[in-house]
Amino acid sequence: MSIKRAHETSSCESCVNYVYDEDWEQYVCAADLDEDEMGRFLSGTARGCHLYRLDDEYGVVRKQL
């Protein structure tokens, strides 16, 4: 999995790691965060998610052209 640095204004809703969990019936982050990363994320002290990747569904098409 290739990881790109996120901008400070990254949004979970536009991230490829933000997926729907049928068991919980809600969207969740599928990124594997360790305990420290999760603590920074939940406390709001993280500047941006380092695992953020834009969910660009047309990116594959652009590469084929």
Side-chain angles (χ1 to χ4, degrees):
M1 175 167 116
S2 91
I3 298 173
K4 295 181 180 178
R5 292 280 174 198
H7 300 288
E8 290 183 25
T9 59
S10 64
S11 173
C12 291
E13 288 81 18
S14 64
C15 181
V16 72
N17 292 316
Y18 196 62
V19 296
Y20 187 76
D21 186 318
E22 292 183 9
D23 294 332
W24 289 10
E25 297 181 350
Q26 64 183 359
Y27 282 89
V28 297
C29 179
D32 189 21
L33 300 176
D34 67 17
E35 187 175 338
D36 294 332
E37 292 171 327
M38 183 59 80
R40 283 191 297 271
F41 179 73
L42 293 176
S43 69
T45 58
R47 294 183 60 154
C49 180
H50 68 282
L51 297 173
Y52 175 83
R53 281 190 4 204
L54 179 63
D55 186 14
D56 185 12
E57 58 192 50
Y58 295 108
V60 174
V61 175
R62 278 194 296 274
K63 287 182 181 182
Q64 292 175 349
L65 296 175

